[in-house]
Amino acid sequence: MTSKVAATASAFLSRTNELGILQQSCIRILSFCESNSSHIGLHIHCPVIKFGLLENLDLCNNLLSLYLKTDGIWNARKLFDEMPQRTVFAWTVMISAFTKSQEFASALSLFEEMMASGIHPNEFTFSSVIRSCAGLGDLSYGGRVHGSVLKTGFEGNSVVGSSLTDLYSKCGKLKEARELFSSLQNADTISWTMMISSLVGARKWREALRFYSAMIKAGVSPNEFTFVKLLGASSFLGLEFGKTIHSNIIVRGIPLNVVLKTSLVDFYSHFSKMEDAVRVLNSTGEQDVFLWTSVVSGFVRNLRAKEAVGTFLEMRSLGLQPNNFTYSAILSLCSAVRSLDFGKQIHSQTIKVGFEDSTDVGNALVDMYMKCSASEVEASRVFGAMISPNVVSWTTLILGLVDHGFEQDCFGLLMEMVKREVEPNVVTLSGVLRACSKLKYVRRVLEIHGYLLRRHVDGEMIVGNSLVDAYASSSKVDYAWNVTRSMDRRDNITYTSLVTRLNELGKHEMALSVINHMYGDGIRMDQLSLPGFISASANLGAHETGKHLHCYSVKSGFSGAVSVLNSLVDMYSKCGSLEDAKKVFEEIVTPDVVSWNGLVSGLASNGRISSALSAFEEMRMKGTEPDSVTFLILLSACSNGRLTEMGLEYFQSMKTIHNMEPQIEHYVHLVGILGRAGRLEEATGVVETMHLKPNAMIFKTLLRACRYHGNLSLGEDMANKGLALAPSDPAFYILLADLYDESGKPELAQKTRNLMSEKGLCKKLSKSTVEVQGKVHSFVGEDVTTVERRNGIYAEIESIKEEIKKFGSPYRGNENASFHSAKQAVVYGFIYASPQAPVHVVKNKFLCKDCHDFVSILTRLVDKKITVRDGNQVHIFKNGECSCKREETSFVIS
């Protein structure tokens, strides 16, 4: 019996010894596999279960670590759930893995299980949980975790403190983050780096540099990650700051590993210093695909296509296989240089190397096809084939469709995106708002604005700027101003959008007032916003304001910007200062088509028709191709200059020489040219045979021609056709009534005017503006009582008329036109402007014959240059003559 017990005990001890050896062997194998990231060690899982070794905590922890390193988080979670005992190490490793994988909600859920199990977290557990809270932006949960930290005595721990600092800064609580950092006991390199990182993330770049100085003074040595963050700040602070940081790296002997080298490459490429970036690449032997990709991206960002492709090929020749980010960068280059063929070649390569399912590559392909192809079909096909399109994918597609003119489709895509639980970001919504701007779709803008308000992101600059533009483009100026005021920050784009839309709406005085709001925000005009303000000055005839803006452009270093110079050419032309316009044009080093259009238009509108046509020929000789706007200017010039045959030749040349299809606006001018020449039958034939559907303007132009030549029957037909398209346009009733009057049919004329009144229609109010001593004054045409005639500007007009009579002029004046707005503006400028200053008036309607004669005779009485712009024509009055050389009766297109 004793011998049997002894034998059994011996066998048990032998087996126990064998299991012990097995356990130690398994642990050694797992440790080796983990250090080499080898998934082969996972095969040990089977014998661990077979021999019941799950009770061994060290063995299970090692196996769990290997799963996390080589086989993914979810298989590791299965092993974790099988473990009969879970130490704080196992819980922490698992929570940390979820945090690193950005499965933040899962990390917090697991933390709840840990707390419920009675296991007390350590500093690394708390650190991971707090980082998950930061990832979710969940300050409420993070605050509760902070409370647990205080209760468990980890408040001064540098690891936990660093994570808390990161949480509070990412949730917009920078003050609390600073206080936490200050409370840390013996803050180490990680703590200092985390605080610097928080400041960089909060765009407090100078403060980040000050913290770095304090870190050095405190005797804490920075590491490579500290410098990575500082280089990120230097990208915003300037090249010299970054060079100083680079010097610090060298002086302190920080090893240039691939992470730091990649940051240096990114920094230098940001400032277009690609030669320095390449030197960093070649500075040490340590290189990887991410570093090379950074160099490729730098060349792409700086549009150095040859070097980008060369670097891409070189990395492949070195055996470094480009990754999805490398291919995305090269595809971005194709988008930038609009190279569809090269883009297709890269597309083929991505399929060959197995990146067809990569979301990043797919996004770059959608962008490339949208920007390089005339059709949206290929981009839509790529998008449709994507397995997991993300918010960038949807946004790229929506932006591309807006650019291709499919604005209406964007709303359906937005709904589909939300339906698939992909949350649109501010760029997505900005794209949809751009579609609303084009469609003037106010209801959609209001819906999107409500969506933004509910998510508390309406104050963000990018979406705020889009809202301002969408409301203003839809004539909701008050709404646009309200959004502008509600934004946390405004920039040049905010105000540039606003001034551009205000100019389009004809609110030029309000556009100029935007300058004061900009200066109130500490924002100076740049070369993007300045042309808008110069344009507002041009349209108001605010010559003095325009000259001040010209001086500002020179002092601010924008005098070489083509967009600024183009707007100055337009401003001086519209203010009748043609010599100044020509001087500015001559300053343009390489005039583009807009520059030439401005010059040709300026010459034509100032009555220099022959010079305008010569300028067009010079433009062609110098290699600048005309666009559709050029031909509108030429046709208008031929119309005003009675150059009928030349106008017809220009119209025909659009197709025959320039391969350009005339648009409806060109046909309107063609009909005007023929109508002015009395070739009404030809003009009617053009309308009947053109490939485009006639609009109201073309019938209005023909009606005006019929009135000019007294063709009643055709005029009635044109009025009927025009009113069928635009029943609320009073111009048809006014022109037809005048035609009836001039044809000896006053009864029909009165009947037409009565019909107009019954419909609640009235003539457009005549308005004229004049600038005196830098301030724009507005006047409107109206009936004036006998009492009012004795006061103010009206009395001054009557006084001047008396002087004209004494002068012996045949001018007697039309009683109905005595106080037209143009007369008021001219007389106001004549009286209150300085004696040397010319008077410049802008009128929103055609200058009538009575006002024209009044101004002409006034300049014969006094030595004064007076210009009046009505529409696209500038009348320059000097010594009793006008640059337009007007005939007794006039005919214009308006």
Side-chain angles (χ1 to χ4, degrees):
M1 188 72 180
T2 304
S3 61
K4 285 183 179 181
V5 172
T8 303
S10 176
F12 174 77
L13 289 171
S14 175
R15 187 170 182 277
T16 301
N17 189 46
E18 288 173 3
L19 286 174
I21 294 170
L22 179 61
Q23 288 177 23
Q24 291 302 316
S25 299
C26 288
I27 290 170
R28 282 196 293 272
I29 292 168
L30 287 171
S31 297
F32 174 80
C33 291
E34 187 181 349
S35 64
N36 290 279
S37 298
S38 173
H39 68 279
I40 296 172
L42 297 179
H43 295 298
I44 286 176
H45 195 169
C46 288
V48 165
I49 296 171
K50 183 178 178 181
F51 293 107
L53 302 181
L54 284 173
E55 296 289 340
N56 188 305
L57 293 178
D58 288 340
L59 184 57
C60 284
N61 288 341
N62 274 277
L63 187 56
L64 182 63
S65 297
L66 186 61
Y67 263 110
L68 288 169
K69 201 164 189 178
T70 62
D71 199 40
I73 194 168
W74 297 108
N75 283 332
R77 177 64 197 261
K78 288 176 185 177
L79 170 63
F80 179 81
D81 291 338
E82 292 172 5
M83 291 169 62
Q85 296 181 60
R86 300 168 194 153
T87 61
V88 66
F89 172 84
W91 286 100
T92 301
V93 165
M94 206 63 229
I95 290 169
S96 176
F98 277 123
T99 302
K100 287 176 181 175
S101 300
Q102 298 190 357
E103 298 283 349
F104 303 123
S106 298
L108 297 185
S109 175
L110 194 60
F111 177 67
E112 292 285 344
E113 289 182 39
M114 177 183 180
M115 297 300 284
S117 73
I119 299 293
H120 296 294
N122 61 20
E123 66 267 38
F124 302 108
T125 323
F126 278 127
S127 177
S128 294
V129 172
I130 293 164
R131 282 190 285 120
S132 287
C133 293
L136 292 169
D138 192 342
L139 186 58
S140 175
Y141 195 99
R144 293 198 297 274
V145 176
H146 191 178
S148 297
V149 167
L150 295 172
K151 287 177 184 176
T152 50
F154 285 113
E155 66 269 20
N157 184 277
S158 60
V159 175
V160 178
S162 298
S163 299
L164 283 168
T165 300
D166 183 53
L167 167 69
Y168 282 108
S169 63
K170 284 181 177 174
C171 292
K173 302 290 183 181
L174 202 57
K175 180 184 175 185
E176 287 81 353
R178 291 190 190 97
E179 290 172 356
L180 268 167
F181 178 80
S182 300
S183 70
L184 293 179
Q185 300 164 2
N186 301 319
D188 59 9
T189 300
I190 295 172
S191 307
W192 280 96
T193 301
M194 187 65 77
M195 191 62 220
I196 289 169
S197 175
S198 299
L199 291 166
V200 172
R203 304 172 70 88
K204 303 283 185 182
W205 301 301
R206 291 186 182 277
E207 191 175 349
L209 287 181
R210 286 197 291 271
F211 256 81
Y212 170 66
S213 298
M215 177 183 184
I216 300 303
K217 287 179 182 176
V220 180
S221 298
N223 61 16
E224 64 268 31
F225 299 106
T226 317
F227 287 113
V228 166
K229 298 300 177 183
L230 291 170
L231 286 166
S234 300
S235 294
F236 295 95
L237 290 170
L239 180 61
E240 293 308 314
F241 282 96
K243 284 184 173 180
T244 303
I245 297 300
H246 193 176
S247 298
N248 270 250
I249 293 169
I250 295 167
V251 169
R252 293 187 166 276
I254 303 294
L256 278 180
N257 60 18
V258 287
V259 175
L260 191 49
K261 285 174 71 174
T262 302
S263 294
L264 281 165
V265 166
D266 286 339
F267 164 75
Y268 281 117
S269 64
H270 181 83
F271 290 99
S272 304
K273 298 292 183 181
M274 288 310 300
E275 287 69 24
D276 290 324
V278 171
R279 274 194 286 273
V280 170
L281 170 70
N282 298 323
S283 59
T284 62
E286 194 175 354
Q287 297 178 348
D288 66 359
V289 65
F290 294 102
L291 176 59
W292 278 86
T293 298
S294 184
V295 177
V296 172
S297 299
F299 281 124
V300 171
R301 192 182 301 122
N302 288 282
L303 293 180
R304 292 173 61 170
K306 185 178 178 181
E307 292 95 329
V309 175
T311 305
F312 174 72
L313 296 174
E314 186 182 354
M315 70 180 288
R316 292 177 66 188
S317 70
L318 293 172
L320 288 168
Q321 179 61 43
N323 61 17
N324 52 336
F325 300 113
T326 323
Y327 281 110
S328 297
I330 289 294
L331 286 166
S332 296
L333 175 66
C334 299
S335 299
V337 300
R338 301 296 190 267
S339 178
L340 181 60
D341 290 339
F342 186 44
K344 286 180 175 179
Q345 291 177 34
I346 298 298
H347 188 180
S348 298
Q349 281 194 35
T350 61
I351 294 170
K352 287 178 183 176
V353 297
F355 283 130
E356 64 269 31
D357 293 335
S358 167
T359 302
D360 295 312
V361 173
N363 293 344
L365 283 167
V366 171
D367 183 60
M368 185 274 293
Y369 280 117
M370 279 296 188
K371 287 177 178 172
C372 299
S373 177
S375 166
E376 85 294 348
V377 174
E378 193 62 30
S380 298
R381 189 191 66 76
V382 171
F383 178 83
M386 292 176 71
I387 295 172
S388 302
N390 59 15
V391 64
V392 177
S393 318
W394 288 93
T395 302
T396 305
L397 183 66
I398 287 171
L399 294 176
L401 289 172
V402 174
D403 291 336
H404 278 267
F406 294 95
E407 293 89 359
Q408 198 67 48
D409 295 344
C410 296
F411 306 116
L413 275 173
L414 181 64
M415 295 301 104
E416 181 66 21
M417 179 182 181
V418 173
K419 185 180 175 182
R420 295 196 189 183
E421 298 183 345
V422 179
E423 184 77 14
N425 61 22
V426 290
V427 181
T428 320
L429 295 168
S430 295
V432 178
L433 285 168
R434 189 150 60 89
C436 295
S437 295
K438 289 188 175 184
L439 296 171
K440 310 286 189 285
Y441 209 161
V442 182
R443 188 172 67 82
R444 288 286 189 189
V445 179
L446 290 167
E447 288 174 359
I448 293 170
H449 194 178
Y451 178 90
L452 292 165
L453 287 168
R454 289 192 296 274
R455 279 155 180 75
H456 307 290
V457 292
D458 57 304
E460 287 200 33
M461 195 182 296
I462 181 172
V463 78
N465 288 344
S466 298
L467 275 170
V468 169
D469 186 65
Y471 276 130
S473 66
S474 303
S475 304
K476 297 293 183 182
V477 176
D478 289 342
Y479 288 22
W481 274 114
N482 287 339
V483 172
T484 303
R485 294 186 192 102
S486 69
M487 290 169 66
D488 299 331
R489 289 189 304 117
R490 292 162 288 275
D491 63 0
N492 253 309
I493 296 172
T494 316
Y495 290 112
T496 301
S497 296
L498 195 56
V499 75
T500 300
R501 297 304 184 186
L502 290 172
N503 279 332
E504 289 173 1
L505 294 169
K507 297 180 180 293
H508 307 300
E509 290 177 73
M510 188 182 288
L512 281 180
S513 74
V514 171
I515 295 174
N516 296 327
H517 293 277
M518 288 181 73
Y519 273 76
D521 278 344
I523 299 169
R524 293 176 62 81
M525 291 179 285
D526 62 6
Q527 62 192 61
L528 297 177
S529 58
L530 193 54
F533 295 114
I534 295 171
S535 177
S537 302
N539 287 303
L540 284 170
H543 192 203
E544 288 302 313
T545 303
K547 288 199 291 187
H548 286 312
L549 290 169
H550 189 177
C551 291
Y552 173 87
S553 72
V554 174
K555 290 178 180 177
S556 302
F558 304 136
S559 57
V562 176
S563 59
V564 173
L565 293 172
N566 288 346
S567 63
L568 286 168
V569 170
D570 179 62
M571 185 273 294
Y572 282 120
S573 298
K574 285 179 176 175
C575 290
S577 299
L578 200 53
E579 292 306 312
D580 288 328
K582 289 194 284 188
K583 284 179 185 175
V584 173
F585 180 83
E586 288 166 4
E587 291 174 14
I588 305 174
V589 178
T590 309
D592 57 14
V593 67
V594 177
S595 315
W596 284 104
N597 285 349
L599 180 65
V600 175
S601 176
L603 290 165
S605 64
N606 280 270
R608 308 276 189 88
I609 306 298
S610 177
S611 298
L613 302 183
S614 297
F616 170 67
E617 294 304 323
E618 185 183 354
M619 165 188 171
R620 290 183 61 196
M621 287 173 59
K622 291 191 174 179
T624 303
E625 276 296 311
D627 61 8
S628 62
V629 176
T630 315
F631 284 100
L632 286 175
I633 295 166
L634 292 171
L635 293 171
S636 176
C638 290
S639 179
N640 290 332
R642 279 74 171 171
L643 302 174
T644 306
E645 294 304 322
M646 186 166 283
L648 294 174
E649 285 179 22
Y650 281 132
F651 185 86
Q652 294 299 327
S653 72
M654 289 182 71
K655 279 186 176 180
T656 57
I657 298 175
H658 301 284
N659 196 27
M660 196 182 297
E661 196 65 42
Q663 299 303 306
I664 190 69
E665 295 82 7
H666 299 101
Y667 280 101
V668 170
H669 279 282
L670 177 62
V671 166
I673 290 169
L674 292 169
R676 173 168 273 173
R679 294 158 66 167
L680 298 178
E681 190 175 336
E682 284 182 65
T684 307
V686 167
V687 176
E688 292 172 350
T689 59
M690 66 183 187
H691 68 286
L692 297 168
K693 186 178 179 181
N695 64 3
M697 178 59 77
I698 208 162
F699 291 122
K700 194 189 300 183
T701 304
L702 260 173
L703 173 56
R704 193 173 282 110
C706 291
R707 180 198 164 192
Y708 183 60
H709 293 289
N711 191 324
L712 180 58
S713 59
L714 182 60
E716 288 178 321
D717 185 36
M718 293 301 105
N720 289 330
K721 288 179 177 178
L723 284 169
L725 294 173
S728 299
D729 189 344
F732 285 104
Y733 295 95
I734 296 165
L735 287 168
L736 184 59
D738 289 345
L739 178 57
Y740 280 134
D741 274 332
E742 291 160 9
S743 301
K745 296 183 181 293
E747 304 85 4
L748 288 174
Q750 190 57 48
K751 185 179 178 181
T752 302
R753 291 187 178 100
N754 291 341
L755 182 61
M756 176 179 162
S757 297
E758 289 169 13
K759 289 181 176 291
L761 304 175
C762 57
K763 291 174 68 172
K764 181 181 178 182
L765 193 65
S766 173
K767 180 182 176 182
S768 298
T769 59
V770 62
E771 184 189 38
V772 175
Q773 296 178 1
K775 185 178 179 182
V776 176
H777 302 267
S778 300
F779 300 87
V780 292
E782 54 191 348
D783 294 326
V784 180
T785 66
T786 305
V787 175
E788 288 175 317
R789 288 172 185 240
R790 302 194 189 111
N791 298 302
I793 198 69
Y794 308 119
E796 297 291 353
I797 293 172
E798 292 289 358
S799 174
I800 290 172
K801 285 165 71 174
E802 289 299 320
E803 290 296 323
I804 290 173
K805 286 179 184 177
K806 291 178 185 177
F807 183 67
S809 168
Y811 172 77
R812 290 294 175 266
N814 181 345
E815 186 65 23
N816 293 327
S818 289
F819 302 108
H820 278 184
S821 64
K823 276 199 189 84
Q824 296 178 52
V826 166
V827 171
Y828 187 89
F830 174 71
I831 294 170
Y832 294 107
S834 63
Q836 298 80 20
V839 175
H840 185 73
V841 172
V842 176
K843 192 172 189 292
N844 67 337
K845 294 176 71 176
F846 175 57
L847 186 67
C848 74
K849 182 179 184 302
D850 187 81
C851 291
H852 188 279
D853 293 346
F854 176 85
V855 180
S856 182
I857 293 168
L858 180 59
T859 59
R860 192 180 300 167
L861 288 174
V862 294
D863 184 19
K864 192 82 166 174
K865 177 186 174 183
I866 299 176
T867 62
V868 180
R869 189 175 86 245
D870 58 347
N872 292 325
Q873 189 164 16
V874 179
H875 303 268
I876 303 175
F877 297 93
K878 185 77 175 173
N879 299 324
E881 294 185 355
C882 177
S883 59
C884 74
K885 298 178 177 58
R886 176 178 285 188
E887 298 173 358
E888 286 301 310
T889 313
S890 293
F891 174 84
V892 295
I893 296 169
S894 65

